[in-house]
Amino acid sequence: MISITSISSMHEYINTNKNKGKTVGFVPTMGYLHDGHLSLMQEAREKNDLAFASIYVNPTQFGPNEDFNRYPRDLERDKDLLAKVGIDCLFTPISEEMYPKGYRTYVEVETLSTKLCGHSRPGHFRGVTTIVCKLLNIIKPTSAYFGQKDIQQVTIIKKMVTDLNIGCLIEVMPTVRDKDGLALSSRNIYLNKEERLQAAFIYKALKKAEAMILNEERDCNRIIAEISNIISQCSLARIDYIKICDLENLEHLDLITNHAIITIAVFFGKTRLIDNITVTVIPLQ
Ligand code: AMP
């Protein structure tokens, strides 16, 4: 695996390979890799001639009181994991090049980026779309791979790619979970033993919601109340939000009639965990 830090070297490498007519699959990450990230890497590896990854803890997507400084980092371990799954090229840009002195340009997908997590983390998605847009411009991949775990992020990135005519396919891969159902996340390392045990209730609550819907419940308030009940049994959990929204426009739903996302954000101490499931129903007679 080749490791590249400077944008000019990346351009050179990309141009050489693109000139040879190769397809490039790309997975942007913030590192501290787990099996969720690696599932995206494997897909990029299998579906393309070349597989690229990036590791960059992007400062512009963190709020002033968030965990940018303490975000977990272990580049050497990550490099080993990436080499093992057959990644050809790792890009680890530096902030001096990504956001040089006098940097002024940001990409914002209106409306979608202020809902759900955007409400609790103002400016977060502006940072995400800006860095993803820059990375797609630098690497110019054929396809880029994202996880359903961050479903709002995927929805927003798809919209950005369409609106800005970025010629890249956006592929979404299922959420990878621990044995007890907790979605894998680099932030799970912040959880203490008791918080980690209780965090499994997030997925239990989502599965309960899914069961209610299978049982023909369509009323979002009743489903949300049940999820809230289950999470409230966890003494260490503080619910940020529980929402049921339309899969395309993220608008709040009162009744599930078609495709919906059930999405949750919960704090355990200072650690904010997110998860979601999607459901598709056929209209009841
Ligand atoms: P991050 O390093 O947290 O920015 O995540 C990089 C990519 O990995 C994003 O597209 C995430 O949605 C994806 N990802 C994170 N956790 C998981 C998971 N548990 N399962 C699948 N994809 C994930």
Side-chain angles (χ1 to χ4, degrees), residues 24-39:
V24 174
F26 171 51
V27 184
T29 79
M30 297 204 299
Y32 209 71
L33 303 177
H34 51 64
D35 284 349
H37 296 116
L38 295 178
S39 71

Side-chain angles (χ1 to χ4, degrees), residues 133-178:
C133 184
K134 285 168 72 70
L135 290 168
L136 295 181
N137 276 339
I138 294 165
I139 293 179
K140 300 189 178 65
T142 322
S143 305
Y145 297 80
F146 295 87
Q148 186 196 317
K149 151 113 187 337
D150 299 276
I151 196 159
Q152 183 177 12
Q153 171 173 288
V154 174
T155 306
I156 291 173
I157 288 169
K158 280 184 172 168
K159 186 77 183 122
M160 172 186 81
V161 163
T162 304
D163 285 356
L164 295 183
N165 314 101
I166 301 174
C168 168
L169 290 172
I170 301 300
E171 305 284 356
V172 186
M173 298 300 293
T175 303
V176 177
R177 301 178 178 281
D178 241 331

